Amino acid sequence: MVRTLLVRGLLLGLLAGLIAGGFAFAFGEPGVDSAIALEEAHAAQEASAHDHGEEELVSRPGQKAGLFLATGLYGLAVGGIFALVYAGLRGRVGPRSEGGLALAAAGTAFVAVILVPFVKYPANPPAVGDPETINSRTLLYVVTILVGLAATAIAVATARRVTAGPWARWVAAVAAFLVPVIAAWTLLPTVNEVPADFPATLLWQFRLASLGTQLVFWTAFGVLFGWVGDRAARRAAAHPASAAASPG
C-alpha cells in the first residue's frame, strides 16, 4: 500500500506542480520581468560608470521554460514526501475518509511549511536582497519551517489529549499551534533588505503571486490526491477480493 501511495504522490505532485507553474507563469512572471527591468536599469547605470557590464547566464525565455521544470520537480519531491507522511497518518490522525485526510493534511502542510515562514520572511523579487546575507536568510527561513512543523505536532498531540468535545479540541489545538509560532515570529530577527526606491506595489504583487502559487499547488494536490484516494477506496469496497490480492 505504501508503494501505491508513493507512486500516486509522485504523479499527482508532478501534475499539481505543473498546474502551479501555469499560475506562476501567468501571475508571477510579469512581476519578475518588471523587477528584472529595474535591476538591469540599475546595473546599466553602474556599468556605464565603470565602462563594463555582465551578460546574463540564462535568457528570460530559458528562465520561463525552466519555471515549469522547477515546479514539476518541486511537485515530485513534495508529492513523494507527502505520500509517505500520509501513509503514516491513515487510521491514526485526522478524518477517516481518504479525501478528507488528504485535504486536511495538505491544508496543514500549507499552513506549517508555507504560510508560517511567509508571514515572517515573505518572498522577494529579483533586485531585492543582499547577496552577502543569503546564507543567513536561508537559515532563518528553514528555522521558521521547523517551527511550523513542530507547532503542528504539538497541536495534534494537544488535540488528542482533550476529551471535552470537538470545539474544545479545536481551541486547544489552535492555541498550541499559535503559541510557538508567534514566539518565533517575535524572537527571530527581522530581515528588511528592500531598497527604499523599490515600488511597493510591484513588491506585494510578487509576494502575493508567490504565495498564490503555493496555494494553487497545495489545493490542486490535496484535491487530486483525495479524489484518487476516494476512487480507490470505493473500488476496493466494491471488489474486496481483487483489492486484497493486489500487490503493494
Side-chain angles (χ1 to χ4, degrees):
M1 187 61 187
V2 174
R3 183 178 64 183
T4 301
L5 290 173
L6 180 59
V7 173
R8 183 187 303 169
L10 292 172
L11 294 178
L12 297 180
L14 174 61
L15 177 57
L18 295 177
I19 293 172
F23 178 91
F25 184 85
F27 296 97
E29 284 301 303
V32 174
D33 287 336
S34 300
I36 288 177
L38 291 174
E39 185 179 33
E40 289 176 344
H42 181 70
Q45 292 177 352
E46 292 186 349
S48 61
H50 296 86
D51 296 324
H52 65 83
E54 296 181 358
E55 295 184 0
E56 59 180 359
L57 298 177
V58 182
S59 65
R60 279 299 291 149
Q63 293 174 6
K64 290 182 178 181
L67 170 67
F68 289 92
L69 176 62
T71 56
L73 292 176
Y74 172 83
L76 274 173
V78 171
I81 296 172
F82 180 92
L84 296 176
V85 174
Y86 181 90
L89 295 177
R90 293 174 79 234
R92 297 181 177 89
V93 177
R96 298 304 177 184
S97 69
E98 298 286 337
L101 179 58
L103 288 174
T108 302
F110 172 78
V111 172
V113 179
I114 305 300
L115 192 58
V116 168
F118 181 87
V119 171
K120 182 66 178 181
Y121 303 115
N124 288 325
V128 173
D130 183 359
E132 299 293 329
T133 64
I134 187 170
N135 290 333
S136 60
R137 285 186 282 120
T138 301
L139 178 60
L140 290 172
Y141 192 85
V142 171
V143 168
T144 55
I145 292 177
L146 295 177
V147 169
L149 292 174
T152 300
I154 294 171
V156 171
T158 301
R160 297 186 69 179
R161 293 185 178 183
V162 175
T163 59
W167 279 106
R169 284 197 298 270
W170 274 104
V171 171
V174 171
F177 178 84
L178 288 178
V179 168
V181 167
I182 293 176
W185 286 342
T186 303
L187 297 175
L188 288 174
T190 299
V191 177
N192 185 11
E193 298 177 349
V194 180
D197 59 347
F198 194 89
T201 300
L202 178 58
L203 176 66
W204 282 105
Q205 285 177 344
F206 177 87
R207 288 178 172 176
L208 290 176
S210 175
L211 183 63
T213 298
Q214 290 288 349
L215 180 60
V216 167
F217 170 80
W218 283 103
T219 301
F221 181 70
V223 169
L224 288 170
F225 198 95
W227 176 68
V228 173
D230 279 340
R231 287 194 61 185
R234 287 195 298 268
R235 189 164 55 247
H239 306 283
S242 59
S246 63

